[in-house]
Amino acid sequence: MSRRTTLLPSRLPIDPYILALLGTVGLAALLPASGTAADVVGGASTAAIALLFFLYGARLSTREALDGLRHWRLHLTVLICTFAVFPLLGLAAKGLVPAVLTPPLYSGLLFLCLVPSTIQSSIAFTSIARGNVPAAICAGSFSSLAGIVLTPLLAAALLGGSAGGFSADSLLKIVFQLLVPFLAGQALRRWIGGFLLRHKKVLGYVDRGSILLVVYTAFSQGMVQGIWSQVTPARLALLLAVEAVLLAVMLTLTWYGAKRLGFARADRIAIQFAGSKKSLAAGLPMASVLFGAQASLAVLPLMLFHQMQLMVCAVLAKRRAHDPQEEPRPEAAAAARQVAPGR
């Protein structure tokens, strides 16, 4: 993958995609889909997410994935951050109920702690910061695949009745909506991989458009059901403060924890960006299955955290890019020489 991969325009402090997300929420508030229109939008949203994961599978090189397995310590570290450290911090936040967070907002906060890491933004920020891009590709992909099973299981164990939609049927629905399209993309990659590489820019719009459609669907349901009357501006401000602390803690733990574990700078960058973020693309469809009619309020913390992580990590990645480069360790340099000819 090119080291010039980027997610945010260098001259804009805010990603235009964040503005698109906010605009989509505004559109859902003004013109929510209801009745037959809601059924049509819901079906289109389901199809869009399936297409999104199909494209993920078709674009991930099987060879890159196998090469990435050589960095098993890095991937294990990211998985522990995503599915162990994050959930523990989410459980610790229960002490903030009800003084700071309402029970529904806490359920949403805990749910965001359970969803997998991102793929595109982890890759983009790792590239900007001059980190280990192949490792970020594999770490994000492995996390997304693991999350298809781990997220609903963790939600059932930790959220209990809050995730009222969870059942064996819910798990199967998630598998068929996310995992099956991903595997289909992998199976067809041999024939369509080249086409996808030649049209990466167009497919990027498909990715983002799919997420915007899911956001519109979820927030339309919330508007129709009057769910937003349960959230006051003061509660939103407190939620943002809690999420800012959560993100700061994870960015700190992933960076200094990876350093303590002996990872080189390039690997620490991949761990920090893959281990501190949460996927809106994976979380939204899971929430719609697990929370049913309450999904719009349940995904609000994830929506806010997603926007916050993009803005903070954009600044951090640019600062990391100017850090002094470390000299590779002798054993790391030898391993790189062995791997390089086959890439």
Side-chain angles (χ1 to χ4, degrees), residues 17-329:
Y17 186 52
I18 294 176
L19 300 179
L21 283 169
L22 295 175
T24 302
V25 173
L27 178 63
L30 295 174
L31 298 171
S34 60
T36 303
D39 294 335
V40 173
V41 171
S45 174
T46 299
I49 289 297
L51 174 62
L52 185 66
F53 274 78
F54 173 81
L55 294 175
Y56 284 166
R59 284 179 297 194
L60 175 63
S61 167
T62 305
R63 184 175 182 179
E64 281 183 338
L66 293 175
D67 285 345
L69 291 176
R70 301 179 185 181
H71 299 283
W72 65 269
R73 287 182 64 248
L74 184 151
H75 303 314
L76 181 61
T77 301
V78 171
L79 289 175
I80 289 174
C81 290
T82 303
F83 297 113
V85 179
F86 253 116
L88 288 174
L89 292 174
L91 289 173
K94 191 171 185 179
L96 301 175
V97 180
V100 176
L101 300 174
T102 63
L105 287 180
Y106 170 70
S107 294
L109 179 71
L110 182 54
F111 174 72
L112 92 80
C113 291
L114 307 181
V115 302
S117 180
T118 60
I119 298 179
Q120 290 104 323
S121 58
S122 295
I123 297 168
F125 291 134
T126 299
S127 176
I128 293 170
R130 298 187 295 172
N132 188 338
V133 175
I137 294 171
C138 295
S141 301
F142 294 158
S143 177
S144 294
L145 287 174
I148 293 173
V149 175
L150 290 179
T151 297
L153 291 179
L154 287 170
L158 302 181
L159 286 167
S162 300
F166 181 83
S167 64
D169 289 340
S170 298
L171 180 58
L172 284 175
K173 186 174 180 180
I174 290 172
V175 168
F176 277 106
Q177 188 176 0
L178 306 183
L179 181 58
V180 171
F182 182 92
L183 295 178
Q186 276 281 288
L188 295 176
R189 186 182 186 280
R190 178 180 177 183
W191 294 279
I192 64 175
F195 174 83
L196 297 180
L197 287 175
R198 291 192 299 271
H199 297 83
K200 288 170 61 176
K201 186 174 181 179
V202 174
L203 293 174
Y205 293 127
V206 174
D207 288 351
R208 296 183 169 204
S210 299
I211 297 174
L212 292 177
L213 181 57
V214 176
V215 169
Y216 176 74
T217 302
F219 278 81
S220 287
Q221 291 175 349
M223 289 303 301
V224 171
Q225 296 159 9
I227 205 168
W228 300 113
S229 61
Q230 303 176 29
V231 185
T232 65
R235 289 290 187 182
L236 283 177
L238 290 172
L239 175 62
L240 281 170
V242 171
E243 292 192 335
V245 173
L246 177 63
L247 179 59
V249 169
M250 287 306 302
L251 287 171
T252 302
L253 284 177
T254 50
W255 181 252
Y256 290 103
K259 185 175 182 179
R260 188 65 180 263
L261 291 172
F263 287 100
R265 175 190 174 278
D267 290 341
R268 294 202 304 271
I269 289 173
I271 290 171
Q272 184 176 51
F273 289 124
S276 64
K277 292 201 294 304
K278 292 295 182 175
S279 172
L280 189 67
L284 286 176
M286 291 182 185
S288 65
V289 174
L290 297 175
F291 291 93
Q294 302 298 314
S296 52
L297 188 55
V299 301
L300 179 61
L302 178 59
M303 284 272 299
L304 296 176
F305 189 82
H306 178 266
Q307 296 166 22
M308 185 184 298
Q309 72 186 12
L310 287 180
M311 290 185 285
V312 172
C313 290
V315 175
L316 182 60
K318 291 176 182 178
R319 292 188 61 181
R320 288 271 180 261
H322 299 296
D323 287 346
Q325 297 294 303
E326 293 180 353
E327 290 295 327
R329 300 177 181 178

